[in-house]
């Protein structure tokens, strides 16, 4: 459950960060309108696509920087699926699903108001304290009892690029980085929109915007990290069917992200900290869609 813990830590940090900067007037919060059918269908399809593509929108992006050709194929499918849904063959389906709206900026505590950031701050602080008491303190106690140092500053490259960060540190860093991203762009960071922006920039003389720059930066960052860890390698799947599966998964993710008004990053790490009811439902459906696909691909035959 380390990845799940890292996400929960990120959500706590994001709630506190978003709330502080919203209350100080630095950023403007903007929870999604609650579109239940779009959240459910888009979230489920995005989750299924994640498993087929072997990574979510962000995972697909950084794996491109690591040299995984399958992820590059999935990214092409993601971009194509998003464009077809935003203004192509799937547009009418998306519009039908998004046509039913409940409230304008519906949150867990009702319509968004001046009190929402206060609720976010309280919930975020409580969550961080609870996680520290039940997760961090026992871990610190175990390390003290075993004589293991809490922090190992030696051999930074080995610990940071090869072994990876501890889940709690990864969660904190993700929360801080996305908070900074919100401040700089005055909006929630997203991945699918970035690939669409790059497509428009390359094919129709559009402007490379903030979202597109995020994609380029993530790929370059992953490439540098992989070089430092000596893990960069152009990798092609052994079976051609794998590439087809990842391409189809990318298309499903593109459709799901546009329909649900955001991928897993936008909804879970962007909307949930704002207590958006739409993002909470979409995020839950993304997780459930992943479970459904994983069950039928990996577990169903064993049962």
């Amino acid at each position: 459950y380390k990845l799940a813990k890292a996400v929960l830590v990120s959500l706590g940090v994001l709630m506190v960060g978003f709330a502080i900067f919203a209350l100080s007037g630095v950023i403007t919060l903007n929870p999604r309108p609650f579109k239940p059918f779009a959240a459910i269908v888009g979230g489920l399809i995005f989750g299924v696509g994640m498993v087929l593509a072997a990574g979510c929108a962000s995972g697909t992006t950084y794996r491109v920087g690591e040299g995984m050709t399958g992820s590059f194929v999935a990214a092409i499918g993601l971009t194509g699926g998003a464009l077809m849904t935003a203004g192509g063959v799937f547009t009418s389906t998306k519009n039908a699903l998004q046509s039913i709206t409940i409230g304008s900026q519906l949150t867990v505590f009702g319509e968004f108001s001046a009190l929402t950031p206060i609720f976010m701050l309280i919930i975020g602080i409580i969550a961080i304290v609870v996680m520290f008491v039940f997760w961090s303190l026992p871990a610190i106690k175990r390390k003290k009892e075993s004589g293991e140092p809490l922090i190992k500053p030696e051999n930074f490259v080995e610990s940071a690029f090869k072994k990876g960060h501890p889940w709690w540190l990864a969660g904190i860093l993700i929360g801080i980085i996305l908070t900074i991203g919100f401040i700089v762009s005055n909006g929630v960071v997203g991945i699918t929109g970035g690939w669409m922006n790059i497509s428009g920039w390359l094919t129709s003389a559009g402007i490379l915007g903030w979202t597109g720059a995020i994609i380029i930066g993530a790929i370059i960052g992953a490439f540098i990290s992989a070089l430092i860890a000596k893990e960069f390698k152009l990798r092609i799947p052994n079976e051609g069917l794998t590439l087809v599966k990842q391409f189809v998964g990318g298309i499903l993710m593109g459709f799901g992200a546009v329909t649900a008004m955001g991928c897993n990053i936008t909804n879970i790490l962007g909307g949930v900290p704002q207590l958006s009811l739409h993002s909470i439902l979409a995020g839950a459906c993304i997780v459930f869609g992943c479970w459904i696909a994983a069950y039928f691909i990996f577990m169903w035959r064993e049962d």
Side-chain angles (χ1 to χ4, degrees):
Y1 299 100
K2 288 182 178 179
L3 290 176
K5 288 182 177 181
V7 171
L8 291 175
V9 170
S10 297
L11 290 176
V13 173
L14 286 164
M15 276 192 190
V16 173
F18 285 2
I20 290 174
F21 288 106
L23 291 170
S24 60
V26 175
I27 62 175
T28 302
L29 298 177
N30 186 29
R32 304 288 190 195
F34 184 36
K35 298 179 181 291
F37 290 105
I40 293 171
V41 176
L44 287 172
I45 291 177
F46 185 92
V48 172
M50 277 178 60
V51 177
L52 293 176
C56 64
S58 58
T60 295
T61 300
Y62 76 72
R63 286 184 176 125
V64 170
E66 294 178 339
M68 295 187 178
T69 56
S71 293
F72 181 69
V73 170
I76 294 174
L78 169 68
T79 307
L83 292 172
M84 287 189 288
T85 308
V89 65
F90 300 141
T91 303
S92 58
T93 304
K94 179 260 297 182
N95 290 340
L97 291 169
Q98 292 183 351
S99 62
I100 298 178
T101 305
I102 303 174
S104 57
Q105 293 181 312
L106 199 61
T107 70
V108 174
F109 296 98
E111 282 292 331
F112 180 82
S113 68
L115 290 176
T116 304
I118 298 176
F119 291 139
M120 291 165 54
L121 184 62
I122 294 172
I123 294 174
I125 291 174
I126 292 175
I128 290 173
V129 171
V130 169
M131 286 186 286
F132 179 77
V133 170
F134 287 97
W135 291 344
S136 298
L137 284 182
I140 292 173
K141 183 178 179 181
R142 285 194 298 270
K143 285 192 173 185
K144 285 185 175 180
E145 291 175 349
S146 63
E148 184 180 354
L150 297 179
I151 300 176
K152 299 178 180 179
E154 71 278 2
N155 201 353
F156 172 78
V157 172
E158 178 75 20
S159 60
F161 292 96
K162 292 187 177 181
K163 294 183 178 179
H165 298 302
W167 59 265
W168 57 269
L169 179 58
I172 292 173
L173 290 175
I174 291 171
I176 292 174
I177 290 170
L178 288 181
T179 300
I180 295 172
F182 198 124
I183 295 170
V184 175
S185 65
N186 197 29
V188 175
V189 174
I191 301 297
T192 306
W195 282 104
M196 295 170 69
N197 176 240
I198 290 177
S199 174
W201 174 54
L202 294 175
T203 61
S204 58
I207 298 174
L208 181 65
W210 169 261
T211 54
I214 286 176
I215 301 300
I216 295 174
I219 292 174
I220 294 173
F223 173 70
I224 294 172
S225 180
L227 285 180
I228 294 174
K230 297 180 180 179
E231 292 180 351
F232 178 81
K233 181 181 179 181
L234 288 176
R235 281 161 279 191
I236 302 175
N238 294 326
E239 298 180 4
L241 184 60
T242 300
L243 291 177
V244 175
K245 183 175 68 173
Q246 290 189 268
F247 180 71
V248 172
I251 292 176
L252 293 177
M253 284 199 296
F255 172 84
V258 174
T259 300
M261 298 189 296
C263 61
N264 56 317
I265 300 297
T266 304
N267 277 310
I268 297 177
L269 295 179
V272 172
Q274 299 181 66
L275 304 178
S276 167
L277 206 57
H278 175 90
S279 292
I280 292 172
L281 179 59
C285 288
I286 288 173
V287 173
F288 188 51
C290 286
W291 183 87
I292 292 173
Y295 176 79
F296 282 103
I297 292 175
F298 301 111
M299 295 182 286
W300 181 54
R301 292 181 180 179
E302 295 181 5
D303 291 345

